[in-house]
Amino acid sequence: MEEIVFHHTLPIQLRFNDVDKFGHVNNTVYFSFYDLGKTEYFASVCPGVDWEKMGIVVVHIEADFVKQIFASDHIAVQTAVSKIGTKSFHLIQRVIDTTTNEIKCICKSVMVTFDLEKHESIPLTKEWIEAICKYERRDLRKE
């Protein structure tokens, strides 16, 4: 896999309830961090989208937990699109320690654009594809 350059980083404030009885962030909490990263990424890259009509849904997600996160850690979620298809795109995200740049977890998702009124998948718009490719500074379309 080629090296991903992350242009989007979102600092995360850890909450008291993110930490479990073992003193580290519970594995289920990471997915809420990734959701925050996705939300902020698309608000930055594709502003003006009518989220009442068009959305994106997760159709596949996997995570590799590399290192524990503790309550005293300073973390951020980095987000990048790695590939764009007709109706779907691949998202790479990772949680890093902002003090050491140590990778804590890596997440890979397949996202599908979705018509919220008709309840069916729809093709990515030309505007979305162009905006994502411009933001990522490369052509991500599958050939």
Side-chain angles (χ1 to χ4, degrees), residues 18-64:
D18 291 339
V19 179
D20 63 20
K21 71 179 185 173
F22 301 112
H24 63 246
V25 172
N26 186 278
N27 65 312
T28 61
V29 175
Y30 288 73
F31 294 100
S32 66
F33 299 159
Y34 292 129
D35 282 345
L36 287 169
K38 288 176 206 152
T39 301
E40 289 299 317
Y41 179 93
F42 286 102
S44 299
V45 176
C46 300
V49 172
D50 185 350
W51 295 110
E52 301 284 322
K53 294 180 181 175
M54 185 172 167
I56 51 176
V57 295
V58 177
V59 295
H60 177 80
I61 192 164
E62 61 185 67
D64 292 320

Side-chain angles (χ1 to χ4, degrees), residues 8-14 36 40 74-78 96 98:
H8 191 274
T9 300
L10 177 69
I12 300 291
Q13 180 179 354
L14 290 173
L36 287 169
E40 289 299 317
H74 299 279
I75 62 167
V77 173
Q78 296 181 314
I96 62 163
T98 59

